[in-house]
Amino acid sequence: MGRTQLERKADTRERLVRAAAELFGSLGFHSVSTDAVAARADRTSGAVYAHFGSKQGLLLAVLEEWRSETAADAEVELDAATDLDARTEALWRTLSSRTGERGDAWLMLEMELWLHAARQPELRQLLAERYDEIRHEMAHAFEEWAATAGSSLASPPDEMSTLVLALLLGLGLQRRMEPESVSDELAGRGIRSLLGLGAG
Amino acid sequence: MGRTQLERKADTRERLVRAAAELFGSLGFHSVSTDAVAARADRTSGAVYAHFGSKQGLLLAVLEEWRSETAADAEVELDAATDLDARTEALWRTLSSRTGERGDAWLMLEMELWLHAARQPELRQLLAERYDEIRHEMAHAFEEWAATAGSSLASPPDEMSTLVLALLLGLGLQRRMEPESVSDELAGRGIRSLLGLGAG
DNA sequence: AGAGATATATAGCCTTGCCTATATATCCAG
DNA sequence: CTGGATATATAGGCAAGGCTATATATCTCT
């Protein structure tokens, strides 16, 4: 094919990282061989080592990608919502709909990466940055909501977003074990409580 | 030694499960060999297979133990606290103090087991039951608090406990990546928000 | 005390999978 | 068009570790 070497390389790299993210999330890092990742990317393990040097290097690349990826996603969905209920619901759905859709890929990979980051200091920094970004996105959204509503926020927005992010993650964890225990309605109510908008 | 066979067996089993819990939590299931577990328990891998049949069987035993263990712990700490601030703080500390103390064993094992349960339906049930128990413990405590204070709860207690558990888990996750992002004070405020006691 | 049962230890087979060394395909420069 | 550079594929070495088969220690019961 008439593609430049840089294009070929970039394409392969992207395929490998995507394949790795899918497999690491669904099966776990240690249950996935480099050959399996390569096969899913229509490459061979040679390409993995040419690009990342080691399986660990591949994990690092996945985490780096993950670090910046989802913050943007959430922003899109949030901006689309209009009234408050729709907004809190959208917030929850950015997590829970993915949970249904892609075979739970989202939360599974999040937790897989969290565990690796918790065990390896050099990865921790990256995931910390990811959480920071997400919190800032959310904090920004909250400020806009308040401004639109003409009211002001009860607490500093980045503290609120820490709490809301925590709630979303924790509800996701419970929901994955027992879906009935976490209704959409309950999630929305929880978020509104944290935002200081009454539990009504 | 003059111990009965049942005692010997029970002792070995307990040692193995404890050792496995510690190692699986800190290093991860797949990074720990059966030999390593056995060595930590002052036994050999033969004992592991005599007791559990496989490494997977050992994981199952750890999860079964874990299922019932911590709910009781939390209850103790909660009953000791007197006023509301102390109570919410105790609630948070049951998670966060362990996070410091035992080298983060608690949260790490929790997440390790969550991932395995998320991937294996036969394990999921067990972790779901664990969460149920914890929620019920907490719900019970909330009802007592309300009764003591002479007030009634704004929402059904088991819904509140779902939200509070979610918050605690999520804050633990963030805290492990970036301790500064989750102060004790913030955690307490979040809990009180969810309990409908104002964000003050 | 001694035979049988039970609990744990020892030794090694065999698979898996990470990685390296090398070969081949694809592209770029002159 | 050709030689060098780059990107990917192929093949196999090598270690780790799960598991089994068997041996040994410990207990139980008469």
Side-chain angles (χ1 to χ4, degrees):
Chain A
M1 306 186 198
R3 287 191 306 172
T4 181
Q5 301 232 88
L6 277 174
E7 283 169 342
R8 256 206 321 163
K9 189 171 183 175
D11 178 46
T12 292
R13 194 194 142 92
E14 195 185 321
R15 282 163 171 266
L16 288 171
V17 171
R18 193 198 339 271
E22 290 167 359
L23 291 176
F24 290 172
S26 60
L27 302 176
F29 180 72
H30 290 291
S31 300
V32 172
S33 67
T34 52
D35 281 337
V37 172
R40 179 156 191 141
D42 276 308
R43 294 293 183 276
T44 64
S45 69
V48 171
Y49 288 89
H51 277 265
F52 308 103
S54 68
K55 195 186 177 189
Q56 173 71 21
L58 177 56
L59 179 67
L60 183 64
V62 169
L63 180 48
E64 278 169 346
E65 191 68 22
W66 192 241
R67 177 191 167 286
S68 46
E69 188 175 302
T70 329
D73 283 3
E75 198 179 17
V76 171
E77 295 204 39
L78 282 182
D79 287 353
T82 56
D83 68 330
L84 187 66
D85 279 355
R87 277 166 177 158
T88 56
E89 214 173 288
L91 204 52
W92 166 239
R93 257 206 325 254
T94 51
L95 199 143
S96 74
S97 76
R98 287 155 191 274
T99 297
E101 177 187 320
R102 298 189 216 168
D104 303 52
W106 198 84
L107 189 58
M108 305 272 294
L109 184 55
E110 189 80 57
M111 290 303 111
E112 179 77 20
L113 292 178
W114 184 91
L115 265 177
H116 285 271
R119 288 170 184 141
Q120 294 170 338
E122 66 274 21
L123 300 184
R124 192 161 62 219
Q125 171 74 9
L126 285 167
L127 207 56
E129 285 170 13
R130 169 177 159 78
Y131 289 161
D132 259 340
E133 272 191 30
I134 295 177
R135 286 191 294 253
H136 279 90
E137 291 291 347
M138 285 180 36
H140 187 64
F142 295 160
E143 282 177 320
E144 280 190 351
W145 295 0
T148 306
S151 61
S152 67
L153 295 168
S155 312
D158 45 315
E159 291 188 0
M160 279 189 170
S161 61
T162 302
L163 296 175
V164 171
L165 175 57
L167 187 72
L168 294 177
L169 288 172
L171 289 176
L173 291 177
Q174 293 179 71
R175 193 173 185 275
R176 185 62 166 75
M177 292 298 105
E178 202 178 6
E180 319 83 72
S181 66
V182 183
S183 68
D184 291 357
E185 197 270 334
L186 178 63
R189 215 164 353 124
I191 296 170
R192 285 193 292 277
S193 285
L194 290 178
L195 293 180
L197 300 168
Chain B
M1 306 184 196
R3 287 190 306 171
T4 180
Q5 300 233 88
L6 277 174
E7 285 170 342
R8 255 208 321 164
K9 190 172 184 176
D11 177 47
T12 293
R13 195 194 142 91
E14 194 184 322
R15 283 163 171 266
L16 288 172
V17 171
R18 195 200 333 275
E22 290 167 359
L23 291 177
F24 290 172
S26 61
L27 302 175
F29 181 72
H30 290 292
S31 300
V32 172
S33 67
T34 52
D35 282 338
V37 172
R40 180 160 191 138
D42 276 308
R43 293 294 181 276
T44 64
S45 69
V48 171
Y49 289 90
H51 277 266
F52 309 103
S54 68
K55 196 186 176 188
Q56 172 70 22
L58 177 56
L59 179 67
L60 183 65
V62 169
L63 180 47
E64 278 167 348
E65 191 68 22
W66 192 241
R67 177 191 167 286
S68 45
E69 187 175 305
T70 329
D73 283 4
E75 199 178 16
V76 171
E77 295 204 39
L78 281 182
D79 287 352
T82 56
D83 67 330
L84 187 66
D85 279 355
R87 279 165 177 159
T88 57
E89 214 173 289
L91 205 52
W92 166 239
R93 256 205 325 256
T94 51
L95 198 143
S96 73
S97 76
R98 287 156 190 272
T99 298
E101 178 186 320
R102 297 190 214 168
D104 302 51
W106 199 86
L107 189 57
M108 304 273 293
L109 183 55
E110 189 80 59
M111 291 302 113
E112 179 76 21
L113 293 177
W114 183 91
L115 266 178
H116 285 270
R119 287 170 185 142
Q120 294 170 337
E122 66 274 20
L123 301 184
R124 193 160 62 219
Q125 171 74 9
L126 284 167
L127 207 56
E129 285 170 14
R130 169 176 159 79
Y131 289 161
D132 259 341
E133 271 190 32
I134 295 178
R135 285 191 296 252
H136 280 90
E137 291 292 347
M138 283 180 36
H140 186 65
F142 295 160
E143 282 177 321
E144 279 190 351
W145 295 2
T148 306
S151 61
S152 66
L153 294 169
S155 313
D158 44 317
E159 291 188 1
M160 278 189 171
S161 61
T162 303
L163 295 175
V164 172
L165 176 57
L167 187 73
L168 294 177
L169 288 172
L171 288 175
L173 291 176
Q174 293 179 70
R175 192 172 185 277
R176 186 60 166 76
M177 292 298 105
E178 203 177 5
E180 318 84 72
S181 65
V182 183
S183 69
D184 291 357
E185 196 270 332
L186 178 63
R189 216 167 348 128
I191 295 170
R192 285 192 293 276
S193 285
L194 291 178
L195 294 180
L197 300 167

